[in-house]
Amino acid sequence: VSVDPRSDRPIYRQVADILRDQITNGTLAPGAMLPSEKALADTYGIGRDAARQAIAVLRSEGLVRTDKGHGTAVRAEGGRRALELVSGESVIARMPTESERYSLNLDEGVPVLVVHSVDGAALYSAEEIYITVR
Amino acid sequence: VSVDPRSDRPIYRQVADILRDQITNGTLAPGAMLPSEKALADTYGIGRDAARQAIAVLRSEGLVRTDKGHGTAVRAEGGRRALELVSGESVIARMPTESERYSLNLDEGVPVLVVHSVDGAALYSAEEIYITVR
DNA sequence: GGTCATTTGTACGTATGTATT
DNA sequence: GAATACATACGTACAAATGAC
């Protein structure tokens, strides 16, 4: 479990791979804290920049959540509820604008669903919803 | 159209705001190239780091696409086709894993749709699809 | 093909600010 | 207040990809 600076693969991606493995195999369970940036830098003999980038990769994948002054934790998979789509409605998925992310209080790496009906459009966190047919 | 280093809002977000405005109001039309990182840094009197972060914000929002050695361009809204959902199927939206992003050849900031049916699961680029009911 | 300028990517360093504990 | 941890912002340097010539 180490990084190779001579590899074609950037070291920040190598570190991201290691952490992603630990998340998917359960070594880092939902809610668990990742090592701090400094701890990662010391462990793998890399700069803080590379450690930060590794965590940023996981954040953009929606796998972890970072709180300033606290640290980075594995995101728990929130339970989803069914959204029943009826004839005449349509849905698109996209990334939120910054203001949408703020008002819906979304973490990074979480898409939104826009449901269009005759009444207009409604916005949901994509993470809380799965779509079915009535 | 300038940035204020003393503002509470980080300068890279101020620059991202300026560019986002230009994209949404059409000054930067789909396909148009954004200024290079160096050009942004010179224009606003900021470091290359801040310019890069500004562009990274827009990339994570799915607004632009960056090609190494070339530059950053406004992404064209791809035409979407209807995906007709039938009873017994369900859909979730999430960000792709790195390998999914690679195999589907997705830009950053593009979610995926996972359609579950009795036959199994199918994966789509969320940007090319809108969901309706048959 | 080869060279050169441009542009982005990676990686390091330092310093300071802000939030949490 | 102190220690820890992340955020912002600057700098440098070199690598890699692109495009023009």
Side-chain angles (χ1 to χ4, degrees):
Chain A
V1 188
S2 181
V3 296
D4 176 10
R6 296 162 311 177
S7 165
D8 281 346
R9 193 159 180 76
I11 58 175
Y12 78 91
R13 289 200 181 275
Q14 294 181 46
V15 174
D17 292 343
I18 293 170
L19 295 172
R20 193 189 301 102
D21 276 351
Q22 295 179 356
I23 292 171
T24 52
N25 76 20
T27 305
L28 285 170
M33 299 298 295
L34 271 64
S36 73
E37 295 169 354
K38 183 172 185 314
L40 288 174
D42 292 346
T43 299
Y44 297 107
I46 61 179
R48 191 190 157 202
D49 207 37
R52 273 181 72 75
Q53 279 192 83
I55 292 176
V57 168
L58 304 177
R59 208 162 38 226
S60 75
E61 294 172 356
L63 292 176
V64 302
R65 166 204 170 96
T66 298
D67 290 301
K68 180 171 168 178
H70 181 219
T72 301
V74 180
R75 275 160 52 76
E77 264 200 55
R80 293 176 188 252
R81 64 187 175 79
L83 173 71
E84 292 191 329
L85 213 61
V86 299
S87 188
E89 291 179 333
S90 66
V91 183
I92 67 166
R94 59 165 169 78
M95 294 309 282
T97 66
E98 190 189 33
S99 61
E100 287 169 345
R101 202 158 74 80
Y102 182 80
S103 56
L104 287 179
N105 197 28
L106 299 178
D107 289 345
E108 277 186 56
V110 177
V112 291
L113 296 172
V114 189
V115 180
H116 294 273
S117 69
V118 286
D119 298 330
L123 191 69
Y124 300 94
S125 159
E127 197 170 54
E128 298 169 349
I129 300 280
Y130 63 92
I131 302 165
T132 60
V133 177
R134 183 186 299 270
Chain B
V1 186
S2 181
V3 297
D4 175 11
R6 296 160 309 179
S7 166
D8 280 347
R9 192 158 180 77
I11 57 175
Y12 77 91
R13 290 200 180 275
Q14 295 181 45
V15 174
D17 291 344
I18 293 171
L19 294 172
R20 193 189 301 102
D21 276 351
Q22 295 180 356
I23 292 171
T24 52
N25 75 19
T27 306
L28 285 169
M33 299 299 293
L34 272 64
S36 73
E37 296 168 355
K38 183 173 186 310
L40 288 174
D42 292 346
T43 298
Y44 297 107
I46 62 178
R48 189 187 159 201
D49 208 36
R52 274 182 71 75
Q53 279 193 84
I55 292 175
V57 168
L58 303 178
R59 210 164 34 229
S60 76
E61 294 172 356
L63 293 176
V64 303
R65 165 206 170 96
T66 298
D67 290 301
K68 178 171 171 180
H70 182 217
T72 300
V74 180
R75 277 162 50 76
E77 262 200 56
R80 294 175 186 254
R81 63 186 175 79
L83 174 73
E84 292 192 329
L85 212 62
V86 298
S87 188
E89 291 180 333
S90 65
V91 183
I92 67 166
R94 60 166 169 77
M95 293 311 280
T97 67
E98 189 190 33
S99 60
E100 288 169 344
R101 203 157 73 81
Y102 182 79
S103 56
L104 288 179
N105 197 27
L106 299 178
D107 289 344
E108 277 186 57
V110 177
V112 291
L113 296 172
V114 190
V115 180
H116 295 273
S117 68
V118 287
D119 298 331
L123 191 68
Y124 301 94
S125 159
E127 197 170 53
E128 299 168 349
I129 300 279
Y130 63 92
I131 302 166
T132 61
V133 177
R134 182 187 300 271

